[in-house]
Amino acid sequence: MREAQLLESLEEPKRRVLFGGKSMNPAFWHPLSHDRTIHDQCIVSAGTEPHYYEGLHSTRLHCAKYDPDSWQLFYYGYPDGCPTQQERMYAFKIYAMRRVATAGFARMLWMDSAFQPIAPMHALWKEINDTGWYIQMQGDSVLGSWCSDAALDVFGISRDTAMGIPLCYSGLVGLSMKRLEGKEIWRMWEELYDAGTFDGPHTNVNGAPHTPHGHKTQGHCSTDPRCHGHRHDEAALSFILWKMGLRPRCEPFLTLGSTDGFIGHHVRLLAH
């Protein structure tokens, strides 16, 4: 099965393959041209604007070399029907991962275009398979420093409580759809996206409107000086893990945190 071919088993709307931040639905693709099985795993990512495309392409090539047994779903643009980043923040992540979940993959791994595997990822897939999930801790950051008042209201917790909740990193999110833990994390993440908790400025500027700030945004999140900004999908995911009695993981999989890591950060395009 080649890259241009679609999986005939999937019931999907007509595809539009447009670039420059427009909607598209690419094919699922397997580096070794394997057919689908019930045990398949899929890496999914998206570059919604042209300045992400080179990193995304590097991610795709590195995945093909170091994780050739995994299917890929890589968006150069927004998934079909997905709101833009200006309309609903980080909606593209939910829309892209939802397509993988709907297609029936046993395991799915969101990998930001800033990450590229530089060695086989067997240890990561084993963690996802054995525990049902893998989500990395974001240093010593806490949810209370990076969550808007509006999102805390939806979560039903105070900022004091949120100051004791570790902030996770959503650049690498692995979920098993065959285990209760993975399915529940995914269900709650979708629900909190629908509830609007992903929306809000990256940087808190007390009393200011929500406006662009480089590739990010700034504006009012809270009058509380402990709030530095909002971390959108990460804030929701951090709350979910806490709600489930789980803590973000600290395994040395990323080169950002360990010299033994097998997933690099901003690795240059892989030459054939």
Side-chain angles (χ1 to χ4, degrees):
M1 186 180 295
R2 299 302 177 192
E3 183 171 1
Q5 292 179 299
L6 300 173
L7 293 174
E8 295 180 358
S9 61
L10 298 179
E11 293 293 334
E12 296 179 337
K14 183 178 179 182
R15 291 157 181 79
R16 293 175 291 159
V17 184
L18 303 171
F19 292 86
K22 303 298 184 181
S23 297
M24 63 178 298
N25 260 2
F28 288 92
W29 178 68
H30 196 288
L32 302 179
S33 300
H34 286 176
D35 292 330
R36 281 286 307 274
T37 76
I38 61 173
H39 303 295
D40 281 334
Q41 57 201 29
C42 184
I43 301 170
V44 55
S45 190
T48 56
E49 302 293 342
H51 59 267
Y52 293 116
Y53 291 173
E54 183 174 344
L56 185 67
H57 195 52
S58 181
T59 300
R60 183 168 198 171
L61 291 176
H62 280 83
C63 286
K65 178 174 182 178
Y66 292 110
D67 197 30
D69 291 324
S70 296
W71 285 81
Q72 297 181 7
L73 182 65
F74 280 57
Y75 286 89
Y76 292 80
Y78 288 91
D80 255 3
C82 179
T84 66
Q85 181 75 336
Q86 294 72 33
E87 294 168 329
R88 294 292 307 275
M89 303 197 76
Y90 298 93
F92 61 85
K93 189 174 293 188
I94 295 296
Y95 275 70
M97 293 180 73
R98 182 182 290 154
R99 188 168 166 222
V100 178
T102 301
F105 283 91
R107 292 168 297 280
M108 60 180 174
L109 176 67
W110 172 271
M111 184 180 291
D112 272 1
S113 61
F115 288 127
Q116 293 80 29
I118 57 173
M121 301 199 301
H122 304 309
L124 173 57
W125 285 117
K126 186 177 187 302
E127 286 293 329
I128 297 169
N129 190 63
D130 290 350
T131 67
W133 64 284
Y134 185 83
I135 300 164
Q136 189 99 12
M137 185 175 287
Q138 191 165 163
D140 58 0
S141 297
V142 294
L143 177 61
S145 298
W146 297 104
C147 190
S148 68
D149 288 344
L152 288 178
D153 287 344
V154 176
F155 299 158
I157 61 173
S158 67
R159 191 167 300 278
D160 287 341
T161 297
M163 294 301 294
I165 299 175
L167 187 71
C168 73
Y169 185 63
S170 65
L172 195 70
V173 177
L175 300 174
S176 170
M177 306 312 288
K178 300 299 183 183
R179 292 184 60 102
L180 179 61
E181 300 91 341
K183 290 190 290 187
E184 185 65 5
I185 291 170
W186 174 241
R187 182 190 67 79
M188 293 178 69
W189 209 19
E190 280 192 297
E191 286 185 356
L192 289 176
Y193 163 74
D194 290 336
T197 65
F198 286 22
D199 296 325
H202 292 84
T203 301
N204 185 27
V205 180
N206 189 12
H210 191 169
T211 58
H213 183 63
H215 291 312
K216 306 294 185 180
T217 62
Q218 63 183 12
H220 180 79
C221 293
S222 175
T223 58
D224 192 318
R226 294 176 294 178
C227 177
H228 305 312
H230 188 55
R231 284 300 174 266
H232 319 100
D233 57 313
E234 290 178 343
L237 202 52
S238 301
F239 168 73
I240 291 166
L241 295 182
W242 174 80
K243 185 77 171 177
M244 295 178 62
L246 304 173
R247 287 182 63 86
R249 309 289 287 279
C250 298
E251 281 80 359
F253 293 162
L254 301 179
T255 59
L256 283 173
S258 171
T259 56
D260 295 326
F262 50 80
I263 298 176
H265 190 241
H266 291 299
V267 181
R268 295 180 63 183
L269 274 169
L270 185 69
H272 284 291

